[in-house]
Amino acid sequence: MNHLDPLIKNDSQKKILALDGGGIRGIITLEILAEIENLLRKKSENTEQFVLANYFDFVSGTSTGAIIAACISAGMSVKNITKFYEKSGEQMFDKAFVLNRFRYKYDDDNLAVLLQDVMHKELKGDTTLGSKHLKTLLMMVMRNATTDSPWSIWNNPYAKYNDRSRDDCNLNLPMWQLIRASTAAPTYFPPQVVKIGPKEDKEFIFVDGGITPYNNPAFQTFLMATIEPHKLQWATGEDKMLIVSVGTGTSPDANKNLAPSEMNLMYNATSLPSALMFAALNEQDTLCRIFGKCLVGEPLDNDIGTLINSKGPIDKKMFTYIRYNAELSTEGLNNLGLNDINPKDVQKLDAVEHIEKLKKVGKAVAEKQINIKHFESF
C-alpha cells in the first residue's frame, strides 16, 4: 500500500491547485495563496496546524510554480514559503560569470543549494519524488530539450514510469533536480541535466516548463487526474472536483511602444520566454473556463470576456474552476488601486529588487478577487 492511497482512492470531492510559472513574480502567487490559506484555516477545525496540503489533494506547478507546489506538497505553510522566497530571492538570481552571460544571465549554483536544503529539511532527508513525506499528489512541468518534448513528472504511484520495479523509475529522482529543471528558463539559467536510471543513454537535458504549453498547468493537471492511462480516473462534475488556478501576473501592453527596428536577435532571445508563457497560460485558462464552471476570473480578452456563466461544447461542466491573477499593465494596476507602482517594475521575471511591490500586487489581488464563498461547496 502506498502512503498516498487514502487520498487517491477515496470517493470524496477532489481539490486541485495549479500554479503558473513567472520567476520572482511567484511572490504574487504566494500572497494570493496566503489569503486562501487564511480563509480555509478559519474554516478548519485544526486552525493552528492547518496548511494548504491539508485541503488540496493534487498540487501542480511550472517553473516558480513548481517550487511553490513542491513546498506546499511537503507540508510547508505559505508564510514559511514566502520567507524562503524573501530570504533567497537575490541568491536565486545570482549574476553569471561575465564570460557565461552570452549563454545565460544567472548562475544556478545558489538555486540548486537552496532547493536541496529546503527539500532535505521539509522531507526529513527522504528527498526523492517518491518521498513518503509528500502529503499530496505533486506534478511539475519541464521541457526535455533532449527529446524536444514537454514532461509532466509526478508522484502518482500508479503512473507507468513510477513503477518501482523499473530501473528508470521517476520516483527515485531527486526533488531538487526536478524543481531546478522546471525553473531553468532559457537565457536566464543554464539547463539542468538529469540522469534517469543506471543507463548512460538515459541522461537528459531539461529547461523551464514555461516554454511548453503548460506554463499554466491547470487543464493538463485535470487531464492527468481523469484519463484512464494515468490510473487515477477521478470522478468529474461541478460538485465533485474543484480546480484553483493561480497566476503570477500578465503584461498585455508590455511592448506597446515597440518599433520594428528593435526586434533584433537579442530582443527575441530575451522576450520569447515571456511571450510563450503568456500564450500557454491563456490557452490552459481558456480550456478550464470552457469545460469547467468558472466562478471567478479576469477577462481573457476583449472578444470572449470572462466566460463566467457562458455555455460551451458540453451540457454539464466537468469541474468547478477558480482563476486568480493580476494584470500588470497601467490599467490593471490602477484597477487594483496601485497607481503608485510602475508596471515595468513588476513585469520582469527577475525583478528581485521589487519584491515588496510584488507583494502589494498579490495582496491587492487577494483582497479584490478571493471570497470564502468560492470554497463553500468543497
Side-chain angles (χ1 to χ4, degrees), residues 83-97:
K83 286 181 179 178
F84 171 69
Y85 264 71
E86 291 175 335
K87 181 180 179 181
S88 309
E90 289 189 12
Q91 297 178 61
M92 289 182 186
F93 291 89
D94 183 37
K95 289 285 186 182
F97 180 63

Side-chain angles (χ1 to χ4, degrees), residues 122-147:
E122 299 302 327
L123 298 179
K124 301 174 177 61
D126 181 12
T127 56
T128 62
L129 182 62
S131 172
K132 64 180 181 295
H133 297 294
L134 288 172
K135 304 181 187 307
T136 72
L137 282 173
L138 169 67
M139 186 270 281
M140 294 172 284
V141 180
M142 56 209 74
R143 176 178 173 265
N144 188 327
T146 305
T147 62

Side-chain angles (χ1 to χ4, degrees), residues 101-376:
R101 290 183 198 171
F102 292 104
R103 296 189 295 141
Y104 47 84
K105 194 173 180 181
Y106 300 103
D107 277 324
D108 66 329
D109 293 344
N110 283 345
L111 178 57
V113 170
L114 291 167
L115 292 173
Q116 289 179 66
D117 288 348
V118 73
M119 287 296 104
H120 189 273
K121 176 184 176 183
E122 299 302 327
L123 298 179
K124 301 174 177 61
D126 181 12
T127 56
T128 62
L129 182 62
S131 172
K132 64 180 181 295
H133 297 294
L134 288 172
K135 304 181 187 307
T136 72
L137 282 173
L138 169 67
M139 186 270 281
M140 294 172 284
V141 180
M142 56 209 74
R143 176 178 173 265
N144 188 327
T146 305
T147 62
D148 195 23
S149 58
W151 278 32
S152 302
I153 295 185
W154 60 338
N155 64 339
N156 171 14
Y158 302 103
K160 178 178 178 179
Y161 290 98
N162 289 349
D163 185 340
R164 290 287 192 181
S165 66
R166 299 180 63 101
D167 61 8
D168 60 350
C169 176
N170 286 341
L171 295 180
N172 297 326
L173 297 173
M175 282 280 291
W176 76 266
Q177 281 195 349
L178 297 175
I179 302 169
R180 167 70 186 86
S182 185
T183 60
T187 76
Y188 285 90
F189 291 105
Q192 177 67 43
V193 176
V194 179
K195 186 178 179 182
I196 301 177
K199 297 180 181 179
E200 293 300 325
D201 63 346
K202 287 289 186 75
E203 191 171 83
F204 299 106
I205 299 172
F206 287 95
V207 295
D208 198 301
I211 54 171
T212 73
Y214 314 124
N215 185 55
N216 168 352
F219 198 72
Q220 172 70 356
T221 309
F222 164 71
L223 293 176
M224 294 176 74
T226 56
I227 64 173
E228 184 178 5
H230 293 313
K231 300 180 181 178
L232 293 183
Q233 293 182 268
W234 284 351
T236 62
E238 292 178 18
D239 60 340
K240 295 180 179 178
M241 181 177 290
L242 171 68
I243 299 178
V244 179
S245 174
V246 184
T248 62
T250 60
S251 309
D253 66 347
N255 301 314
K256 187 166 58 176
N257 299 316
L258 180 68
S261 60
E262 296 178 279
M263 297 188 67
N264 51 36
L265 288 174
M266 184 60 69
Y267 168 84
N268 285 322
T270 56
S271 64
L272 279 176
S274 294
L276 289 168
M277 287 177 183
F278 176 74
L281 71 87
N282 196 61
E283 177 71 6
Q284 290 276 302
D285 191 9
T286 301
L287 288 170
C288 283
R289 299 192 198 202
I290 290 171
F291 291 96
K293 178 185 177 182
C294 184
L295 300 184
V296 62
E298 295 294 283
L300 291 160
D301 57 41
N302 292 331
D303 185 20
I304 60 177
T306 65
L307 291 180
I308 294 174
N309 297 321
S310 178
K311 294 182 179 179
I314 55 175
D315 292 332
K316 293 184 179 180
K317 299 290 187 175
M318 304 182 76
F319 50 87
T320 294
Y321 178 65
I322 297 169
R323 174 66 173 175
Y324 300 125
N325 203 11
E327 183 181 303
L328 304 178
S329 64
T330 299
E331 181 180 358
L333 292 172
N334 287 345
N335 288 339
L336 290 172
L338 300 174
N339 54 356
D340 59 326
I341 293 181
N342 183 340
K344 291 184 178 180
D345 289 345
V346 292
Q347 289 174 348
K348 294 185 295 182
L349 303 182
D350 55 351
V352 291
E353 69 273 26
H354 298 299
I355 282 180
E356 289 305 313
K357 293 179 182 178
L358 290 167
K359 291 180 71 173
K360 287 181 66 175
V361 173
K363 289 177 180 177
V365 172
E367 183 177 337
K368 181 180 179 181
Q369 297 181 13
I370 299 175
N371 192 313
I372 190 60
K373 292 181 180 179
H374 301 159
F375 301 89
E376 63 185 3

